[in-house]
Amino acid sequence: MSRIIMGIESSCDETGVGLVRLAANGTVELLADEVASSVDQHARFGGVVPEVASRAHLEAMVPTVRRAFATAGLSMSAVDAVAVTAGPGLAGALLVGVSAAKAYAAALDVPLYGVNHLAGHIAVDTLQHGPLPEPCLALLVSGGHTQLLRVDDIAGKITEIGSTVDDAAGEAYDKVARLLDLPYPGGPPIDKAAREGDPNAIAFPRGMTGPRDAKFDFSFSGLKTAVARWVEAAQARGEEVPVPDVAASFQEAVADVLTAKAVRAATESGIGTLVISGGVAANSRLSGLAADRCAEAGIELRVPRPRLCTDNGAMIAALGAHVVAAGCAPSPLHLSANPALPVSTVTVS
Ligand code: KG4
Ligand code: ZN
């Protein structure tokens, strides 16, 4: 007997609703993945404005749910369980999704699972590449997170082995884009500009790579400052800023550190599979360099397609399906959102 799981995501600026089918043999199939983004409303502020995001979730939630059912060709009564991002994320934004999920679970009389957004970013890969080998290593890189995670069980045991001590990788892209007068979010325009530039033009620093630094932690704020100083110096000399070279050199520094640490972590712990997910996983240089270095080290690399890497509801539905398949206890209907939910808590019970 197969089961239909609905997933609701609202931790940041994307209202996502996903529907998946969990087959009796444990395979998970994507049926619908509808996303409404409020990114345009935040663009002029150069970052997500929490109150604006919450209001946008409220307006988009029901229409996005309806679109998902229409896409899947299912009626709501087909749903067997509702999964929702319980954290981490913006408090007000999370609350909109959690409240909606409770209402749907209560109305449909099905179990509710409050799940971890970070685990969702990893679980989504199973929709494209099938079951995850366990253990595997996950590199999570987005606007809000930069983490190396050891995954022993996607439904229950995830351990952080490293994270950023300051800015997230995506945040660094967004800040450097602003310095270069490129639009927000900065990842895609920097990726594009970098294609015309020389990645070795400027030797930007590789943060946290000294012998005394934590092996698997990251730092991007020094890199961002180095780019700012370099741009200011060029401007002070009255020179035009070579945007493609700056973008390519910055991107090289980010991709170099991320892939070097991830491959080292996998090799040292004897883990044979690396999954890279989150918005920055869409970066062409990051995935290209990761492919080269993983091949060299004999590690299997899995990167979900860009649409699955950025925030969406399918990732929460996928995680919900794995949690249901594992027989985890549902969350109570008084579930609350936890903006600081630790990655070790996959399901909030
Ligand atoms: O996962 P995501 O959609 O949302 C968060 O949870 O933050 O990630 C958004 C981040 C932004 O910082 C954006 O600049 C970055 O992902 N991003 C990229 C690319 N596409 C999106 N960074 C580098 N290269 C890209 N192609
Ligand atoms: Zn995310």
Side-chain angles (χ1 to χ4, degrees):
M1 196 199 65
S2 68
R3 282 170 283 184
I4 303 292
I5 319 293
M6 168 159 77
I8 296 181
E9 154 63 29
S10 71
S11 66
C12 191
D13 58 345
E14 255 87 39
T15 312
V17 178
L19 288 166
V20 301
R21 185 190 309 278
L22 167 65
N25 67 2
T27 56
V28 185
E29 178 199 353
L30 180 60
L31 304 177
D33 173 20
E34 294 296 325
V35 174
S37 179
S38 62
V39 67
D40 293 345
Q41 296 178 48
H42 308 289
R44 67 192 169 102
F45 302 106
V48 176
V49 183
E51 281 306 313
V52 173
S54 305
R55 176 170 290 270
H57 285 305
L58 208 50
E59 286 167 0
M61 187 58 70
V62 172
T64 310
V65 168
R66 291 209 175 115
R67 279 212 313 279
F69 282 96
T71 307
L74 290 174
S75 78
M76 269 189 203
S77 60
V79 170
D80 294 291
V82 177
V84 61
T85 302
L90 303 169
L94 287 167
L95 271 175
V96 177
V98 167
S99 307
K102 285 179 184 178
Y104 284 113
L108 299 168
D109 194 22
V110 296
L112 170 74
Y113 294 86
V115 298
N116 192 301
H117 177 84
L118 306 173
H121 270 303
I122 308 168
V124 76
D125 186 64
T126 62
L127 295 175
Q128 189 176 341
H129 298 119
L132 275 178
E134 288 166 345
C136 68
L137 191 77
L139 171 65
L140 211 61
V141 274
S142 72
H145 357 272
T146 301
Q147 286 171 310
L148 268 174
L149 304 167
R150 179 189 165 104
V151 184
D152 286 287
D153 172 5
I154 187 63
K157 188 161 186 242
I158 301 179
T159 319
E160 181 181 295
I161 60 174
S163 77
T164 181
V165 297
D166 41 54
D167 293 351
E171 207 178 340
Y173 268 93
D174 297 338
K175 288 178 176 170
V176 166
R178 196 140 41 144
L179 291 170
L180 297 176
D181 281 328
L182 296 171
Y184 171 85
I190 290 188
D191 200 348
K192 187 158 171 252
R195 280 184 205 142
E196 315 294 319
D198 174 6
N200 301 312
I202 309 153
F204 285 131
R206 269 60 169 163
M208 299 280 286
T209 51
R212 292 197 187 162
D213 290 325
K215 272 194 297 193
F216 302 131
D217 283 342
F218 304 94
S219 166
F220 295 106
S221 109
L223 171 60
K224 171 203 65 194
T225 307
V227 175
R229 296 286 164 274
W230 197 95
V231 169
E232 282 162 16
Q235 285 166 336
R237 292 193 300 270
E239 295 167 11
E240 198 181 319
V241 176
V243 171
D245 282 349
V246 176
S249 301
F250 158 76
Q251 177 159 285
E252 194 63 20
V254 174
D256 181 20
V257 176
L258 288 173
T259 55
K261 293 204 177 208
V263 168
R264 182 172 177 189
T267 308
E268 287 190 8
S269 32
I271 294 178
T273 304
L274 172 66
V275 181
I276 308 185
S277 190
V280 184
N283 185 259
S284 59
R285 181 59 183 149
L286 176 61
S287 51
L289 190 56
D292 292 347
R293 289 184 170 170
C294 282
E296 243 170 67
I299 295 165
E300 178 205 13
L301 175 66
R302 298 174 39 146
V303 185
R305 57 183 176 269
R307 158 106 202 182
L308 295 180
C309 278
T310 50
D311 289 352
N312 62 76
M315 64 191 236
I316 302 307
L319 178 59
H322 294 296
V323 162
V324 167
C328 301
S331 308
L333 267 188
H334 58 77
L335 168 75
S336 51
N338 180 354
L341 189 68
V343 70
S344 52
T345 305
V346 177
T347 311
V348 181
S349 52

